[in-house]
Amino acid sequence: MRASTGDRVLGYAILVFFAALMVLPILGVILLSLHPADAQLSGFELPRSLHFESYAQAFRTAHFSSYLKSSLIVSSAVVAGTVIVSVLSGYAFGTMRFRGDSLLFYLLLAGLIIPFEAIIVPLYFELRRVHLTNTYWSVILPLIGTNSSFGTFWMRAYFRSVPRNLIEAAALDGAGSLRTLWKVLLPGGRPALLTLVVLVFMWSWNEFLLPLVMLSRDELRTAPLGLAFFAGRYQTDRVGMAAAAVMVALPVIVVFITLQRSFVRGMLAGALKE
Amino acid sequence: MSRGAERTAEHAPVAGEFGRGAVPYLYLLPTFLIFVPFVLAPFLHTLGLSFFDWDGLTDWRYAGLANYREALGSPLVRAAFLHALILILFFGVLPILLALLIASASARARVPGDTTLRALIFMPQVMSTVVVGVTWSWIVAFDGPLNQLLRAVGLSALANDWLGSYQWALPTVGVMGAWALTGLCVALFVAGMQQIPATLYDAAAIDGAGRWREFFAVTLPGLRGPIAVALTVTVIAALRAFDIVFVTTRGGPGNTTLVPGFLIYRRAFEDGRIGSAAAIAALLSGVVFSFAFAINRYADRKLR
């Protein structure tokens, strides 16, 4: 597309304006968190010097060390579980033909669209009956379940993009299907796997409703949950709240900045989570 | 739903002896061992529960369609669904319009740093909704930066207790959603615009089409697929807006920001009206499925 200088300046101005609109609130919260812990602020003020004590306070006294630990445990387990089951089922759907394959695939895809609100109520009462509420499992297993829909969809697309003769050659060499998967297909699938890891990490780190319902004991709470309760209890402690919010958002933002490409590419495909 | 999958499906499954007999089912087993008990069965269970009266403790009692009748007749439930529809304007329509502007602008401004700027625009999308809610609750607080800005530029009359106002609370929550979702739409549209053949733009230029004609004749039709995807994602986000409401307003003031998800949560886990919560959840699923189906039907028909 050819563009005149005027067009380019206008386009640039629009981009800069919206980037500022997205970044300024985040920047504002970061600056807010660097005020002295007892600062009484009205509106936005630049901190005169940088104070990190609110982070230390949130980490220790407000239990955010425990919340972050819970989130890390839950997210890692969900990522590991989702990747394992999705690779296996994506492999079957992407490379094999069997009775009922499309029926089973669409059944799984329905998981992309079923709202969590529509499974949470019986799920809570069933898990309470078997004494699994207030354990990490009550969050980990349902999240693997919902994420395996996207994971399978995503890995199936990768396995289908692999040239058929690569798999057939491996089969001719006498490699079994598991060996073909492990030695031939997975090494080339690293970018697809990385994207899946990053997305599932973000989705499970940010999940709110499920841990809210399942985990009522404070020491099990995940980071977003801890932040929501902190915000409800200490409404006037703006600086502490800002520090806590930064800590909750930071891990995902760091992953986003370092792995931006796989992130955006995956999110676009993830948008097909319909 | 299958369009994306089919586009990448240049290679059909391997024929012959590969993965025959029970083998494929063994590969599916782990997924279904988790998906069935933790997703599919609870969903069907919700549909079942919606026909019963249950408080979570004592015995349940068959209620027929009573929960649905109560839900459809209840002003509270109707209000919750109406709010969800209003949120669609903020979560869906507004981000898509803004993203069309941003994506067209950035297609014209191929300048150093445009990728970074788009990454910054995308940033809110990766943040937890709780963080978004906490951040914006501070910004729109009565003594927060937004009112400070309004007063500084001489618009003190507009300063407001945004989340505490019957009139403004819902639109304010809506703006938070728009803020979080615009970046995803931009990324979708930028990727979509790269798929539009340059020859179409050249042809439009030869025809003497101006900026607007070019947009309506080439860009917009070329983005039909990505717009459908963006609309599906954002509409579902609007219908499911639980987190942001829980963190910012808890449905208040009054019930002005009550949404279906929050009502389900309240009835099931605070009021012990589980059958009623299940009926609302079933209605919500019906609305979500209908929107997703309608949007994709429309996009598919237009694509042909």
Side-chain angles (χ1 to χ4, degrees):
Chain A
M1 196 184 317
R2 296 155 310 107
S4 68
T5 314
D7 273 354
R8 293 170 75 109
V9 171
L10 181 68
Y12 201 54
I14 291 176
L15 264 186
V16 170
F17 173 78
F18 281 100
L21 203 62
M22 301 300 169
V23 171
L24 285 180
I26 301 175
L27 211 58
V29 166
I30 294 175
L31 288 172
L32 178 64
S33 73
L34 297 173
H35 279 279
D38 53 357
Q40 286 305 312
L41 301 165
S42 175
F44 176 77
E45 284 170 40
L46 274 177
R48 266 188 221 100
S49 59
L50 301 184
H51 292 257
F52 290 91
E53 69 238 27
S54 292
Y55 286 90
Q57 247 172 41
F59 201 71
R60 279 195 228 107
T61 35
H63 306 176
F64 271 87
S65 56
S66 149
Y67 300 150
L68 291 167
K69 193 189 82 190
S70 292
S71 274
L72 202 61
I73 293 173
V74 168
S75 306
S76 315
V78 173
V79 167
T82 306
V83 167
I84 292 170
V85 302
S86 305
V87 163
L88 296 176
S89 54
Y91 183 47
F93 283 124
T95 64
M96 301 170 191
R97 236 177 269 196
F98 47 94
R99 194 182 282 273
D101 51 359
S102 56
L103 176 77
L104 289 173
F105 183 63
Y106 283 112
L107 191 66
L108 204 53
L109 274 196
L112 295 180
I113 199 178
I114 296 176
F116 237 120
E117 288 81 349
I119 63 176
I120 193 85
V121 177
L123 196 58
Y124 170 77
F125 289 102
E126 284 301 307
L127 291 181
R128 194 182 67 174
R129 200 168 53 85
V130 296
H131 307 291
L132 272 180
T133 50
N134 270 320
T135 66
Y136 290 135
W137 292 113
S138 63
V139 180
I140 293 169
L141 292 172
L143 277 179
I144 295 177
T146 50
N147 283 324
S148 68
S149 292
F150 173 74
T152 302
F153 170 77
W154 177 249
M155 290 317 297
R156 169 184 177 263
Y158 162 68
F159 288 119
R160 294 196 112 184
S161 73
V162 174
R164 226 186 303 191
N165 47 28
L166 200 67
I167 303 169
E168 276 161 4
L172 280 180
D173 282 349
S177 57
L178 200 57
R179 204 180 145 76
T180 307
L181 170 67
W182 191 248
K183 292 273 175 193
V184 181
L185 297 178
L186 278 188
R190 286 221 188 97
L193 280 175
L194 183 64
T195 301
L196 184 61
V197 166
V198 166
L199 287 179
V200 173
F201 173 75
M202 175 183 76
W203 287 327
S204 40
W205 185 276
N206 290 344
E207 174 60 36
F208 182 68
L209 177 61
L210 188 65
L212 172 72
V213 170
M214 297 295 173
L215 309 175
S216 58
R217 277 168 47 200
D218 187 62
E219 66 267 30
L220 292 176
R221 278 183 185 143
T222 58
L225 207 54
L227 178 59
F229 279 93
F230 186 87
R233 217 173 314 135
Y234 306 103
Q235 274 174 347
T236 49
D237 183 7
R238 290 254 169 81
V239 180
M241 205 143 75
V246 172
M247 280 200 294
V248 174
L250 204 62
V252 188
I253 290 187
V254 167
V255 174
F256 170 62
I257 290 170
T258 41
L259 299 170
Q260 208 198 100
R261 262 166 214 281
S262 12
F263 223 108
V264 176
R265 190 187 47 195
M267 289 294 291
L268 297 188
L272 291 164
K273 273 178 65 117
E274 291 160 14
Chain B
M1 186 179 313
S2 62
R3 267 177 302 117
E6 295 315 320
R7 214 174 288 143
T8 51
E10 287 136 10
H11 305 270
V14 179
E17 287 305 303
F18 186 77
R20 273 301 163 92
V23 173
Y25 302 103
L26 286 177
Y27 280 109
L28 296 184
L29 197 61
T31 298
F32 279 87
L33 274 181
I34 296 182
F35 181 75
V36 172
F38 292 101
V39 181
L40 194 61
F43 176 64
L44 299 175
H45 197 160
T46 298
L47 301 183
L49 276 177
S50 68
F51 299 102
F52 286 85
D53 259 343
W54 191 38
D55 60 5
L57 300 166
T58 51
D59 278 347
W60 36 15
R61 201 164 47 77
Y62 181 68
L65 289 171
N67 288 324
Y68 287 95
R69 233 174 290 143
E70 190 273 336
L72 293 172
S74 150
L76 207 58
V77 178
R78 282 199 209 160
F81 277 94
L82 177 68
H83 297 156
L85 294 179
I86 294 171
L87 284 184
I88 288 179
L89 296 179
F90 286 94
F91 283 42
V93 178
L94 182 62
I96 286 175
L97 293 178
L98 291 178
L100 283 172
L101 174 73
I102 297 168
S104 329
S106 76
R108 288 176 179 279
R110 290 250 159 267
V111 278
D114 63 338
T115 328
T116 310
L117 288 171
R118 280 202 305 270
L120 292 178
I121 292 175
F122 192 81
M123 194 106 94
Q125 173 70 32
V126 306
M127 289 171 24
S128 148
T129 319
V130 182
V131 175
V132 173
V134 166
T135 301
W136 278 88
S137 297
W138 167 61
I139 290 172
V140 302
F142 193 65
D143 63 347
L146 177 63
N147 286 338
Q148 185 188 14
L149 182 73
L150 289 173
R151 291 191 190 102
V153 296
L155 292 170
S156 341
L158 291 180
N160 211 320
D161 179 14
W162 299 97
L163 285 174
S165 141
Y166 276 70
Q167 194 182 350
W168 288 106
L170 188 63
T172 306
V173 170
V175 167
M176 298 179 194
W179 182 77
L181 287 164
T182 299
L184 178 66
C185 301
V186 173
L188 276 169
F189 297 164
V190 168
M193 284 171 79
Q194 282 160 1
Q195 307 286 320
I196 300 175
T199 49
L200 286 180
Y201 284 106
D202 294 341
I206 290 165
D207 287 349
R211 213 175 287 162
W212 289 102
R213 278 262 311 280
E214 182 192 87
F215 176 77
F216 283 107
V218 182
T219 308
L220 204 53
L223 286 181
R224 207 156 249 153
I227 289 174
V229 173
L231 203 56
T232 312
V233 174
T234 54
V235 164
I236 292 180
L239 293 171
R240 301 192 39 197
F242 171 83
D243 309 9
I244 194 88
V245 168
F246 186 92
V247 176
T248 56
T249 63
R250 304 244 169 168
N255 287 308
T256 50
T257 57
L258 189 70
V259 291
F262 197 71
L263 199 55
I264 294 167
Y265 175 82
R266 230 164 60 178
R267 292 216 166 156
F269 302 114
E270 285 172 11
D271 306 344
R273 296 173 63 188
I274 288 140
S276 165
I280 301 168
L283 290 173
L284 178 65
S285 311
V287 174
V288 168
F289 291 153
S290 318
F291 267 104
F293 183 74
I295 293 167
N296 288 291
R297 260 300 281 277
Y298 181 76
D300 279 347
R301 206 176 51 217
K302 287 290 186 171
L303 280 173
R304 278 188 199 115

